[in-house]
Amino acid sequence: MIPEAAARPSRRSVVAAAVAAVGTGCSADTDGRNGGGAPGSSAAPPGTAEQARAVRDSTELIGRYDAAAAAHPSLASRLTPLRAEVAQHVEAFGGTPPAAGAKAAATGAGTTPAQALTALAAAERRLADSRAAALLTVPGGLARLLASVAAAGAAHAALLSGEPGSGGRGTGGGDGTTGDDGHEG
């Protein structure tokens, strides 16, 4: 069995690859047109609205993580690395993530830790599905970034919900108690 840390690439390498992919998708065309519009047109390049939406959606997701951690301090250590990855997604899409510990809205925090994890998993899954659906409508570089971030979101959802093979602890506590496989942590 491969240790979990060795089985996945480092966060830095994933973000670096994602940023490189965005860079290749945002260059001007060789004929002077930017994104396929008429020469000299002021129309926004293809994918601009989708990229702005990705920044907004990831920023809102950070707010959900912050609200859950604030409402359930016992989950903070578990949520912090996932929140940090979502902040990297905001940056990869060209935005600026809110500072850690910023005032969070109570939206979707759940009344129990298990409900908070379930709500976060559902939000991650919805966002991953939305991004996967947008892949066919955006330029190549942005499509690659959306695909990568959608995959990360699906992995977050699996970790939060404790799906088999995800290494997650399930929604039964999130505090180091035994998971579905009977092992701690």
Side-chain angles (χ1 to χ4, degrees), residues 68-77:
H72 308 288
S74 65
L75 296 176
S77 65

Side-chain angles (χ1 to χ4, degrees), residues 99-171:
K103 180 116 173 119
T107 308
T111 56
T112 68
Q115 290 172 334
L117 291 174
T118 299
L120 280 171
E124 285 274 18
R125 200 170 290 111
R126 278 191 306 273
L127 190 50
D129 290 347
S130 169
R131 288 175 170 162
L135 292 176
L136 299 175
T137 65
V138 296
L142 182 56
R144 288 187 294 275
L145 179 59
L146 282 171
S148 177
V149 174
H156 291 178
L159 288 168
L160 291 164
S161 64
E163 293 173 9
S166 69
R169 293 186 188 130
T171 56

Side-chain angles (χ1 to χ4, degrees), residues 30-55:
T30 56
D31 64 359
R33 293 183 288 166
N34 191 4
S41 74
S42 61
T48 301
E50 293 84 350
Q51 188 168 346
R53 179 178 177 181
V55 169

